[in-house]
Amino acid sequence: MAEAHLPGPHLLIADVGTTVVRGEDFMPIPELETELQGTWPGHRAVRESLQTLPEVIEQPITAPRRVSYTLAPDAACTLEQGLRWARNRLRGLDVDVLASGGEYLDILPGGVNKGTTLQRVLRWIARDGADVVVAGDSLNDLALFRTGLNGIVVGDCEPALAERTAGLEAVYQATAPGPAGIMEGLRHFGWLEASDGE
């Protein structure tokens, strides 16, 4: 943001929706942290449940309510199979398991994801959903598009995201990739004039 001279955000939703921090100092927001903590069983419980699943390897990511894995290079399974096996091992823990990118698994508190956390933030700042457009390119963004808010799936997205959002009424499937796709979508929703950003 500094290199591009962009204004800093007031709030950041991070760690696949499991963290919300203030933009100016990256400090957690206590009012939201309590809700996000929910029934998180803790990193140790998740790790112990998956330690005997050789098909997945923990990623070196530090987050307060998230444990992330990737398929092992020699895994003799698809991501969907690994997802099923992980869910079976985690049965009894109040967690959700998200798959994305053809190789990644994120273990999150039950009911906590980018979409539900965005809705919590909107209630907390008393903003209407009409003031929001979401955008994404990965399957772990799917929860954003299931909120019913206007959404932009960018042109170079993960194919599974395009497939799962194709029938959603408020979602625009951009043809342009990355930021250009976001600009295309903002024009579609009337947030920018056709000549803006050209």
Side-chain angles (χ1 to χ4, degrees):
M1 289 183 293
E3 289 176 9
H5 305 290
L6 295 172
H10 297 286
L11 299 170
L12 289 168
I13 296 174
D15 298 320
V16 198
T18 64
T19 303
V20 182
V21 296
R22 296 185 308 217
E24 68 268 17
D25 57 10
F26 304 111
M27 292 299 294
I29 298 168
E31 299 91 330
L32 295 169
E33 288 286 294
T34 302
E35 287 187 45
L36 295 176
Q37 185 66 28
T39 55
W40 177 238
H43 294 69
R44 181 176 178 178
V46 170
R47 289 179 177 129
E48 287 177 352
S49 297
L50 297 181
Q51 68 184 354
T52 58
L53 184 61
E55 289 79 9
V56 297
I57 299 170
E58 186 175 348
Q59 296 180 60
I61 294 173
T62 303
R65 286 167 292 276
R66 169 189 176 198
V67 185
S68 298
Y69 294 83
T70 187
L71 277 183
D74 58 350
C77 68
T78 65
L79 180 62
E80 286 300 317
Q81 288 171 318
L83 179 65
R84 281 196 305 274
W85 294 341
R87 284 181 174 153
N88 284 338
R89 299 288 176 96
L90 293 161
R91 192 165 293 165
L93 298 181
D94 190 3
V95 296
D96 289 337
V97 186
L98 302 183
S100 64
E103 62 178 318
Y104 302 111
L105 294 175
D106 286 305
I107 318 303
L108 315 175
V112 175
N113 55 55
K114 292 181 182 182
T116 58
T117 298
L118 175 57
Q119 291 172 320
R120 286 181 175 97
V121 168
L122 291 175
R123 285 192 299 272
W124 186 66
I125 64 174
R127 292 301 293 262
D128 189 88
D131 297 331
V132 178
V133 175
V134 300
D137 66 352
S138 168
L139 196 53
N140 72 19
D141 295 318
L142 181 60
L144 288 171
F145 300 108
R146 288 184 168 163
T147 60
L149 299 167
N150 287 333
I152 304 162
V153 176
V154 297
D156 57 351
C157 71
E158 186 177 339
L161 179 66
E163 291 169 16
R164 295 194 190 181
T165 57
L168 299 179
E169 187 177 324
V171 175
Y172 176 74
Q173 303 262 349
T175 56
I182 294 173
M183 297 294 284
E184 178 187 329
L186 290 174
R187 286 191 287 272
H188 168 80
F189 287 116
W191 284 49
L192 295 175
E193 295 297 324
S195 60
D196 289 347
E198 298 294 323

Short mmCIF file of all heavy atoms in Angstrom, two decimals, residues 4 22 30 39 56 78 107 112 122 132 176:
data_model
loop_
_atom_site.label_atom_id
_atom_site.label_comp_id
_atom_site.label_asym_id
_atom_site.label_seq_id
_atom_site.Cartn_x
_atom_site.Cartn_y
_atom_site.Cartn_z
N ALA A 4 2.39 1.86 -3.50
CA ALA A 4 1.41 2.33 -4.48
C ALA A 4 0.70 3.60 -4.03
O ALA A 4 -0.19 4.09 -4.72
CB ALA A 4 0.39 1.23 -4.75
N ARG A 22 -7.37 -3.54 13.48
CA ARG A 22 -7.43 -2.13 13.06
C ARG A 22 -6.35 -1.88 12.02
O ARG A 22 -5.22 -2.40 12.12
CB ARG A 22 -7.20 -1.22 14.27
CG ARG A 22 -8.29 -1.34 15.32
CD ARG A 22 -8.12 -0.35 16.43
NE ARG A 22 -6.80 -0.38 17.02
CZ ARG A 22 -6.54 -0.21 18.31
NH1 ARG A 22 -7.52 0.00 19.15
NH2 ARG A 22 -5.30 -0.24 18.77
N PRO A 30 -11.23 -6.17 20.28
CA PRO A 30 -11.75 -7.08 21.32
C PRO A 30 -13.21 -7.46 21.14
O PRO A 30 -13.58 -8.62 21.36
CB PRO A 30 -11.55 -6.29 22.62
CG PRO A 30 -10.43 -5.34 22.32
CD PRO A 30 -10.58 -4.98 20.86
N THR A 39 -16.13 -21.29 19.59
CA THR A 39 -15.86 -22.60 20.18
C THR A 39 -14.56 -23.19 19.63
O THR A 39 -14.41 -24.41 19.55
CB THR A 39 -17.02 -23.56 19.90
OG1 THR A 39 -17.24 -23.62 18.48
CG2 THR A 39 -18.29 -23.10 20.60
N VAL A 56 -1.41 -34.88 4.54
CA VAL A 56 -1.37 -33.42 4.70
C VAL A 56 -0.16 -33.00 5.53
O VAL A 56 0.28 -33.73 6.41
CB VAL A 56 -2.67 -32.86 5.33
CG1 VAL A 56 -3.87 -33.14 4.43
CG2 VAL A 56 -2.90 -33.40 6.72
N THR A 78 -6.73 -37.12 -3.97
CA THR A 78 -7.11 -35.81 -4.46
C THR A 78 -7.35 -34.90 -3.26
O THR A 78 -7.45 -35.36 -2.11
CB THR A 78 -8.40 -35.88 -5.29
OG1 THR A 78 -9.48 -36.29 -4.42
CG2 THR A 78 -8.26 -36.86 -6.46
N ILE A 107 -8.28 -25.12 8.58
CA ILE A 107 -9.15 -25.54 9.68
C ILE A 107 -9.48 -24.28 10.47
O ILE A 107 -8.59 -23.60 11.00
CB ILE A 107 -8.45 -26.56 10.61
CG1 ILE A 107 -7.66 -27.60 9.81
CG2 ILE A 107 -9.47 -27.19 11.55
CD1 ILE A 107 -8.43 -28.38 8.80
N VAL A 112 -17.12 -19.77 11.28
CA VAL A 112 -16.31 -18.57 11.07
C VAL A 112 -15.61 -18.70 9.72
O VAL A 112 -14.93 -19.69 9.46
CB VAL A 112 -15.26 -18.38 12.20
CG1 VAL A 112 -14.34 -17.21 11.89
CG2 VAL A 112 -15.96 -18.17 13.53
N LEU A 122 -19.84 -5.66 9.53
CA LEU A 122 -20.86 -4.72 9.06
C LEU A 122 -21.85 -4.37 10.17
O LEU A 122 -22.24 -3.20 10.31
CB LEU A 122 -21.60 -5.28 7.84
CG LEU A 122 -20.77 -5.37 6.56
CD1 LEU A 122 -21.58 -6.06 5.46
CD2 LEU A 122 -20.31 -4.00 6.10
N VAL A 132 -21.54 -2.33 0.14
CA VAL A 132 -20.44 -3.29 0.05
C VAL A 132 -20.45 -4.02 -1.30
O VAL A 132 -21.51 -4.39 -1.81
CB VAL A 132 -20.56 -4.35 1.17
CG1 VAL A 132 -19.46 -5.39 1.07
CG2 VAL A 132 -20.53 -3.68 2.54
N ALA A 176 -11.93 -9.94 -17.05
CA ALA A 176 -10.56 -9.45 -16.83
C ALA A 176 -9.99 -10.09 -15.56
O ALA A 176 -10.72 -10.38 -14.62
CB ALA A 176 -10.55 -7.93 -16.71
#
